[in-house]
Amino acid sequence: MSAIRRWLWLADAILLIVLSLYIFAGRDLVPFHGDESTLIWMSADYHYLVQEHDPAPVVFRMPPVNGTRQFNRVMTGSVDALTIGLAWDLAGLTVDDLNEVWDWGAFDYPTPYEWVVNERRGAVPDDHLLAIGRTPSTLFTIASLFLVFWIARWVSRNRPATWLAAILYATSPAVLVNGRRAMQEGAMFFGTALIILVALYTLRAQRQGSWRPALLGWYLALGAASGFAMGCKHTSAIVAAIAFLVVLLYPRLARWDRTVIAFDRRHVSALLAAGVLAAIVFVALMPIWWSLAALIVLAGLLLACLSFSGLGRPWLAWAARGAAVLLIFGATELQPTVIYDILRTPFYMLEQRQQLVEIQRDEHGDIDSFGDGLVLLARDTFVSYAQYYEDPTWATFEVTKAEIVAYEASGLAGRRGWVWDALQVGLLGVGLIALAVRWREGESWLLGLWLLFPALVLLLTNPLPWQRYYIGLHAPAAILAGLGLTALLAYTGRARGGAAR
């Protein structure tokens, strides 16, 4: 390795370390959110599962033992709550040190006494517990920075562009506020970036021209990453769907390229196996859905899909199919309703989500028109600001107002000013043009859809003017801005070369 390359790698490391320290330094100063109480309260599941070795209080049942806990387990990814539990366990705390759940309905009208009531109920965690609870999410956010850097380096092939993408991402006020809090977003940042990175490797493996075990391994890795991300936050399923769609269709999109694998039974079967593995990982990470019979059925389906992937001797494929049939029928004997339960679960989760959204819309208003939604999308994605609370009642809390002032005065709240915003928007536009020019590449479809498809879904379906729903767009926006800088640098280099001639 040349001396210049060593210095460049050192610069990469220094930048990532500085940005990581910047993210972590603001952990204790970020203004408190009531959902942090809920996630820390839910970390009691760690006590049942790890310390008591008793999943019974956590697994779904009707009627529920505790309706509030079960509802939150259904609606919330378990990764953050369980890692919070691990954090307080390592810190020497016990389940008895946890706070109560935040009561959002303490009053039917805005009043500063909501804070007082919740504080008296024990719903406000003390500073030590809150810092411990925020640590896993903050570390996940830092880890997501490394993945964003990796992805940006992959697609831009340019260090200044990669550095810019990392800086834009790590200094986004919205990313910092939500990623530092004891909530799902830090894990979601990491999980969704992991999906995209694994999908990039899968696309590269598809260009090797032959079907082999390594390619199947990347398909399964994509499934595992998708299941993990959905266990972090359920809305990560949108990013997983994008990755699966691009990987599925890339052999068709690149038919002109003879080095790309064929769109055949092996390709489709392997991707189906990846989808089943995603479901297995998701169920494994969501204790509320633990069911031996369900896992047996999913294992049978995984074997069946793998048997058509074309790897191994024919007799092994038939043996796998026979084992799959035995597993599925055995599971139905163990639990006759298991297949119905598996199919019913995602619809039940969607029903519960819709009920929650309707309640929130009644309490906090609605987006009036498509134009308003477009303005909201642009503001919450490209304007350097953070929405510290969604409930307007919190504007009356003296504690919250003081925390916001202290946080913004600390210098750790992220970038500010229209110059940064204009820079990102302008470079993002150039980056999208660069993707369009490279439309034959699977990476272009993957990155473009990572930004545009969730944005379209939000425009068409999101009724709530909450920035938290839009923060998943910040990573692809930063990466595409970096790609835009690459395109500008390349154009400038060509222009100078032409002028020199």
Side-chain angles (χ1 to χ4, degrees):
M1 183 183 294
S2 67
I4 294 177
R5 287 177 61 86
R6 285 196 295 269
W7 282 109
L8 288 174
W9 281 107
L10 179 61
D12 291 344
I14 291 173
L15 177 65
L16 288 172
I17 290 170
V18 169
L19 292 177
S20 297
L21 292 174
Y22 181 80
I23 293 171
F24 196 84
R27 179 200 63 176
D28 298 342
L29 290 173
V30 65
F32 174 75
H33 191 287
D35 283 352
E36 295 186 271
S37 288
T38 301
L39 267 295
I40 295 173
W41 172 73
M42 288 179 63
S43 69
D45 288 353
Y46 174 89
H47 167 73
Y48 298 127
L49 297 168
V50 178
Q51 296 178 329
E52 295 292 326
H53 308 290
D54 182 15
V58 180
V59 175
F60 183 86
R61 65 177 65 189
M62 292 299 275
V65 176
N66 184 311
T68 302
R69 283 194 183 275
Q70 179 154 299
F71 176 78
N72 280 283
R73 289 179 186 128
V74 170
M75 301 305 301
T76 307
S78 63
V79 169
D80 190 62
L82 294 178
T83 52
I84 290 174
L86 175 62
W88 55 250
D89 188 12
L90 293 175
L93 302 183
T94 71
V95 69
D96 296 327
D97 296 310
L98 301 184
N99 55 266
E100 289 296 322
V101 65
W102 188 271
D103 183 2
W104 291 98
F107 292 90
D108 294 329
Y109 51 90
T111 171
Y113 290 106
E114 180 181 321
W115 180 281
V116 176
V117 169
N118 277 284
E119 189 173 38
R120 289 176 178 174
R121 290 180 56 252
V124 180
D126 61 53
D127 291 342
H128 182 52
L129 176 60
L130 184 59
I132 292 170
R134 286 175 169 176
T135 299
S137 180
T138 305
L139 293 178
F140 272 127
T141 302
I142 292 171
S144 75
L145 166 66
F146 281 73
L147 297 185
V148 166
F149 185 92
W150 196 342
I151 295 167
R153 185 77 179 92
W154 182 307
V155 300
S156 68
R157 307 181 184 96
N158 180 285
R159 267 196 167 81
T162 304
W163 296 339
L164 175 65
I167 291 170
L168 287 174
Y169 177 73
T171 61
S172 165
V175 169
L176 291 172
V177 164
N178 291 280
R180 288 164 169 165
R181 283 171 166 167
M183 301 196 305
Q184 302 176 83
E185 279 63 35
M188 181 201 72
F189 292 150
F190 176 77
T192 51
L194 182 64
I195 290 173
I196 297 300
L197 182 62
V198 174
L200 287 171
Y201 275 100
T202 306
L203 292 171
R204 186 177 72 175
Q206 286 182 322
R207 290 193 293 270
Q208 301 302 312
S210 61
W211 190 259
R212 63 201 187 287
L215 177 55
L216 176 61
W218 282 115
Y219 279 61
L220 296 178
L222 178 61
S226 299
F228 171 78
M230 291 186 290
C232 294
K233 190 170 184 178
H234 302 339
T235 53
S236 300
I238 296 174
V239 179
I242 292 166
F244 270 75
L245 181 65
V246 173
V247 170
L248 172 67
L249 296 181
Y250 183 55
R252 289 288 189 191
L253 295 170
R255 283 177 294 179
W256 56 273
D257 187 349
R258 293 184 178 181
T259 66
V260 177
I261 63 166
F263 189 98
D264 56 15
R265 186 187 69 179
R266 292 177 302 180
H267 164 65
V268 174
S269 298
L271 202 56
L272 287 173
V276 175
L277 182 59
I280 292 173
V281 173
F282 174 74
V283 171
L285 289 175
M286 293 290 295
I288 188 171
W289 302 123
W290 280 1
S291 164
L292 177 60
L295 287 173
I296 292 174
V297 168
L298 291 173
L301 290 174
L302 179 62
L303 273 177
C305 293
L306 289 174
S307 72
F308 290 99
S309 63
L311 294 173
R313 298 180 181 275
W315 68 267
L316 284 175
W318 284 106
R321 291 164 197 164
V325 171
L326 290 176
L327 286 173
I328 293 172
F329 275 98
T332 57
E333 287 295 319
L334 180 66
Q335 183 180 326
T337 63
V338 61
I339 294 178
Y340 170 81
D341 293 339
I342 292 173
L343 296 175
R344 171 62 178 160
T345 296
F347 292 101
Y348 178 80
M349 294 170 65
L350 287 172
E351 290 171 4
Q352 296 295 297
R353 168 63 61 184
Q354 187 60 37
Q355 290 181 18
L356 177 62
V357 169
E358 291 299 327
I359 293 172
Q360 292 170 334
R361 182 160 57 182
D362 291 341
E363 293 179 352
H364 304 297
D366 201 346
I367 299 174
D368 295 328
S369 66
F370 182 83
D372 289 342
L374 196 60
V375 170
L376 187 67
L377 172 68
R379 184 197 69 183
D380 288 341
T381 306
F382 304 119
V383 176
S384 298
Y385 92 106
Q387 186 180 45
Y388 295 107
Y389 48 80
E390 295 83 19
D391 187 342
T393 303
W394 284 59
T396 66
F397 297 167
E398 294 299 327
V399 173
T400 300
K401 290 189 284 187
E403 287 179 341
I404 293 173
V405 170
Y407 179 65
E408 293 188 342
S410 69
L412 298 171
R415 63 179 186 267
R416 288 289 191 273
W418 65 269
V419 174
W420 278 106
D421 301 338
L423 176 68
Q424 181 171 10
V425 171
L427 290 177
L428 172 63
V430 177
L432 288 172
I433 294 172
L435 287 185
V437 171
R438 296 159 48 178
W439 68 271
R440 289 179 178 270
E441 299 180 13
E443 289 84 351
S444 296
W445 287 95
L446 183 65
L447 292 175
L449 289 175
W450 187 17
L451 175 70
L452 298 177
F453 184 71
L456 180 62
V457 171
L458 287 166
L459 278 173
L460 297 178
T461 65
N462 176 43
L464 297 168
W466 293 0
Q467 187 185 51
R468 201 177 355 157
Y469 287 177
Y470 297 88
I471 55 174
L473 303 176
H474 285 241
I479 292 168
L480 290 178
L483 182 61
L485 179 59
T486 297
L488 284 180
L489 292 174
Y491 175 80
T492 303
R494 289 193 299 270
R496 287 179 177 176
R501 290 194 297 272

